[in-house]
Amino acid sequence: MQLLKDRIRKDGIVKPGNILKVDSFLNHQMDIPFINELGKEFKRRFSDCPITKILTIEASGIGIAALTAQYFHTPMIFAKKAQSLNLDGDMYTAKVESFTHKKVYDVILSKKFLTARDHVLIIDDFLANGCALEGLIAIVRAAGASLAGAGVVIEKGFQGGGDRIRRMGVRLESLAIIDSMTEDSLTFRE
Amino acid sequence: MQLLKDRIRKDGIVKPGNILKVDSFLNHQMDIPFINELGKEFKRRFSDCPITKILTIEASGIGIAALTAQYFHTPMIFAKKAQSLNLDGDMYTAKVESFTHKKVYDVILSKKFLTARDHVLIIDDFLANGCALEGLIAIVRAAGASLAGAGVVIEKGFQGGGDRIRRMGVRLESLAIIDSMTEDSLTFRE
């Protein structure tokens, strides 16, 4: 998606450790009209799918998924990263290893909100090693729901998670795929 | 706001420990068109204010704040709850005690995204003891920004946080204020 690639080139900052900071528009400060355009693009790419739920994971996926869900006219549900006193015992769980935070955590989703009748589109901001996405896919499968696919804003292609997800047979639509990056240059996959 | 009160009566569940679960529409599964109506109501109540930034705190405030920011035509920024490898050192910080999780955590916001030129509206899903809101107010003040006020979806009035915030001189608009609740009954403030 050219609008996104242009924005990453303009405002993205590459940091040591293969970190791409896009916090001025995507996941700390959010440029709302810009993200609405990403939501419309996800809708265009998955317009053939009878989506009933948008699924994401806290925290930085939530805003993007909420805005995107407007174009699918569906509820949005977000998996939570730790046991909360406000959650019932009846939950789907998966373990996820975070690239950013270098730790393993549990991801939970109340069983009330995802059933075998659902057609799910997973939305997230970043795909690096793919562990968060795999955790969400495991939850969709545990629910017996249909997985229409996953929509990711930025895939770090050189970390291999996206290609592994595709080999699982999951339809993955990344709006920008970065094949290499240094402090001076970014290469997008064509 | 009658639409919200009706929804809380219909779908809210009171749990032991003064917990009100509204996770079927507000903060685990999100009813997007419904939350857009809350966003329009915040805009109506703060239409006299020249807002430049919507500020919230991860995680459950993010979706509501993102949808609300559409009606203010401003960026949304969210404070994060712990040190992330992706954040620079140049941050505002505040300590917050969570009612839900019974612990104290650090809240951080990059200084890049809030300055003395900003007029800030804080948005959050719940107000109980008010600690999260006080942390966000401290961040706004540390930035030297103007605080237009705070918009909260559900205030648990009987926990006193909202009244303490009002006594600080902060304009607080809660769309529903609960003065008492048991498993059988809910009383809203008039």
Side-chain angles (χ1 to χ4, degrees):
Chain A
M1 187 190 187
Q2 198 58 46
L3 180 76
L4 174 62
K5 291 179 187 172
D6 293 344
R7 188 65 178 269
I8 294 169
R9 285 201 192 282
K10 177 171 167 279
D11 293 327
I13 298 167
V14 178
K15 294 274 183 179
N18 278 331
I19 289 172
L20 174 64
K21 284 172 68 82
V22 287
D23 59 355
S24 66
F25 61 96
L26 193 66
N27 54 17
H28 189 24
Q29 177 165 257
M30 298 184 62
D31 179 338
I32 303 294
F34 173 79
I35 293 168
N36 273 331
E37 293 304 314
L38 307 182
K40 290 176 197 170
E41 177 67 13
F42 285 130
K43 172 63 183 174
R44 192 184 68 76
R45 295 194 186 198
F46 288 97
S47 60
D48 55 322
C49 301
I51 308 295
T52 63
K53 291 272 167 84
I54 302 286
L55 170 65
T56 192
I57 183 171
E58 67 176 27
S60 50
I62 294 176
I64 299 160
L67 294 168
T68 295
Q70 298 179 113
Y71 303 103
F72 288 87
H73 306 288
T74 67
M76 183 275 273
I77 50 181
F78 58 92
K80 302 195 175 197
K81 277 184 178 167
Q83 184 69 36
S84 160
L85 298 182
N86 275 3
L87 288 167
D88 285 326
D90 212 16
M91 293 177 293
Y92 304 113
T93 65
K95 288 211 179 289
V96 168
E97 185 178 352
S98 166
F99 171 77
T100 311
H101 296 90
K102 315 281 187 208
K103 63 181 182 185
V104 176
Y105 51 88
D106 288 303
V107 168
I108 53 182
L109 182 79
S110 174
K111 290 186 178 176
K112 285 184 294 187
F113 305 132
L114 198 58
T115 75
R117 291 185 303 280
D118 280 310
H119 296 263
V120 181
L121 173 61
I122 298 171
I123 294 286
D124 209 357
D125 58 340
F126 262 97
L127 195 167
N129 60 23
C131 289
L133 190 45
E134 282 186 282
L136 294 176
I137 291 168
I139 284 174
V140 173
R141 290 184 173 162
S146 302
L147 179 63
V152 163
V153 179
I154 301 173
E155 176 183 338
K156 290 152 96 179
F158 57 89
Q159 289 188 250
D163 293 328
R164 202 176 65 251
I165 299 281
R166 290 183 183 93
R167 284 196 298 271
M168 291 165 61
V170 172
R171 176 174 172 190
L172 171 61
E173 296 276 356
S174 300
L175 303 187
I177 303 176
I178 296 169
D179 268 342
S180 70
M181 63 183 200
T182 67
E183 283 178 52
D184 305 314
S185 78
L186 269 175
T187 308
F188 292 106
R189 193 176 296 179
E190 289 305 316
Chain B
M1 185 189 186
Q2 197 58 45
L3 181 78
L4 173 62
K5 291 180 187 174
D6 292 345
R7 188 65 177 270
I8 295 170
R9 285 198 192 283
K10 176 170 167 281
D11 293 327
I13 298 168
V14 178
K15 294 273 184 180
N18 277 331
I19 289 172
L20 173 65
K21 284 172 66 83
V22 286
D23 59 355
S24 65
F25 61 96
L26 193 66
N27 53 18
H28 190 24
Q29 177 165 256
M30 297 184 63
D31 178 338
I32 303 293
F34 172 78
I35 294 168
N36 273 332
E37 293 304 313
L38 307 183
K40 290 176 198 170
E41 177 68 12
F42 285 130
K43 173 62 185 172
R44 193 184 68 75
R45 295 193 186 197
F46 287 97
S47 60
D48 56 322
C49 301
I51 308 294
T52 63
K53 291 272 167 83
I54 302 285
L55 170 66
T56 191
I57 183 169
E58 68 178 24
S60 51
I62 294 176
I64 299 161
L67 294 167
T68 295
Q70 297 178 113
Y71 303 103
F72 287 88
H73 306 288
T74 66
M76 184 275 275
I77 50 181
F78 58 92
K80 302 195 174 197
K81 277 185 180 167
Q83 184 68 37
S84 161
L85 298 182
N86 274 4
L87 288 167
D88 285 325
D90 211 19
M91 294 176 293
Y92 304 114
T93 65
K95 288 210 178 294
V96 168
E97 184 177 354
S98 165
F99 171 76
T100 311
H101 296 90
K102 316 281 187 207
K103 64 180 180 185
V104 176
Y105 52 88
D106 287 302
V107 169
I108 53 184
L109 182 79
S110 174
K111 290 186 178 177
K112 288 184 292 188
F113 305 133
L114 199 57
T115 74
R117 291 185 302 279
D118 280 311
H119 295 262
V120 181
L121 173 63
I122 299 171
I123 294 286
D124 208 356
D125 58 340
F126 262 98
L127 195 166
N129 61 24
C131 288
L133 189 46
E134 282 186 282
L136 294 176
I137 291 168
I139 283 173
V140 172
R141 291 186 173 163
S146 302
L147 178 63
V152 163
V153 179
I154 301 173
E155 176 183 337
K156 290 153 95 179
F158 56 89
Q159 288 186 251
D163 292 328
R164 201 175 66 251
I165 300 282
R166 290 182 184 92
R167 283 196 299 270
M168 291 165 61
V170 172
R171 178 174 170 189
L172 170 61
E173 295 276 354
S174 300
L175 302 187
I177 303 176
I178 297 170
D179 268 342
S180 70
M181 64 184 199
T182 67
E183 284 178 50
D184 306 314
S185 79
L186 268 176
T187 308
F188 291 106
R189 192 176 297 180
E190 289 306 317

